[in-house]
Amino acid sequence: MNYASEGHAEDGHEEEGGAWSGPAGAEAFAAVEAATDWLLGYPFVFEALSRRIGADEVLVDYGCGPGRVADRAARVLGARVLGVDTSAEMLALARSTATAVAEFHLVRDGRVTGLPDGCADAVMCNHVLASLATEEALLGVFAEIRRLLRPGSPLVLLSTDPTRTDLEYASLRVGAAGASYRPGEEMPLRLRRTDGTWQEVRNHAWPVDRLPVLLESARFRAVTQRRPTVDEALALADPRLLDRYPWTAERAEPPLVITSALAA
């Protein structure tokens, strides 16, 4: 769950080392509310995984951040969840809070340390692609995920659609109002914190309709995409969350896309 590695605070002052760097950055990221993700994203990721993975099988959360989603996945799916991330500070925070996660591993030089080929029964990857500036970097992540997966095992990706720039969602604002972005172009994303303030980070725009082609080139097959709606979330999301906001923008133009594929 890694929206981007750099950013600045709401007052416009650049944060030294990037928004999520160091212990303070990890704690700041943990304070992002992510209400829209918990309504239209993560429950649908878990649903997709539940069709393909059983209790005690190995699920890798690639880009686990502070571990909230990995922890919930372990509890909901009963899987043995392994959290991996490029940030040692994020992993330290996750180790202290995500108690249902079995192990944590650092990504170093594009490779997950300590995990062998074909060790995973499934991988989920939430909001990681937007932190990558080039198509080569995307393909590198897909190649590493493919290395971890056994043939026929699923990958489930959660992405924000970079074309959804016209509405302010409950917990995020995509790009500048009315703007359009080229593939890989830097794009601002505003995220609501739990205290009601906003954090702005610099993301990269990757069109969701480009992902199937890239996945197929990285030895994935049977790629499908789904854009969850608020009506569909009624059966999956926490009822308390459904009552928290009117979800007007989410109903008008759902901003999140679930991409699923199988390792060839």
Side-chain angles (χ1 to χ4, degrees), residues 145-164:
I145 290 173
R146 177 61 188 85
R147 180 186 74 81
L148 297 174
L149 282 168
R150 300 184 179 98
S153 298
L155 163 63
V156 180
L157 296 166
L158 175 61
S159 306
T160 302
D161 187 340
T163 68
R164 295 303 198 240

Side-chain angles (χ1 to χ4, degrees), residues 34-116:
T36 300
D37 290 298
W38 284 107
L39 182 77
L40 298 180
Y42 306 131
F44 293 90
V45 171
F46 301 156
E47 181 191 42
L49 290 167
S50 70
R51 304 191 200 108
R52 304 286 310 189
I53 190 169
D56 298 322
E57 291 187 301
V58 174
L59 168 64
V60 170
D61 183 1
Y62 193 97
C64 67
R68 292 171 59 197
V69 180
D71 190 77
R72 183 71 66 86
R75 299 177 192 278
V76 169
L77 300 171
R80 183 170 181 266
V81 177
L82 312 182
V84 308
D85 204 275
T86 58
S87 167
E89 290 83 8
M90 287 288 191
L91 293 181
L93 180 59
R95 286 189 182 97
S96 68
T97 58
T99 56
V101 178
E103 298 175 13
F104 294 95
H105 296 265
L106 184 66
V107 180
R108 183 180 292 120
D109 297 326
R111 191 175 179 93
V112 181
T113 58
L115 291 184

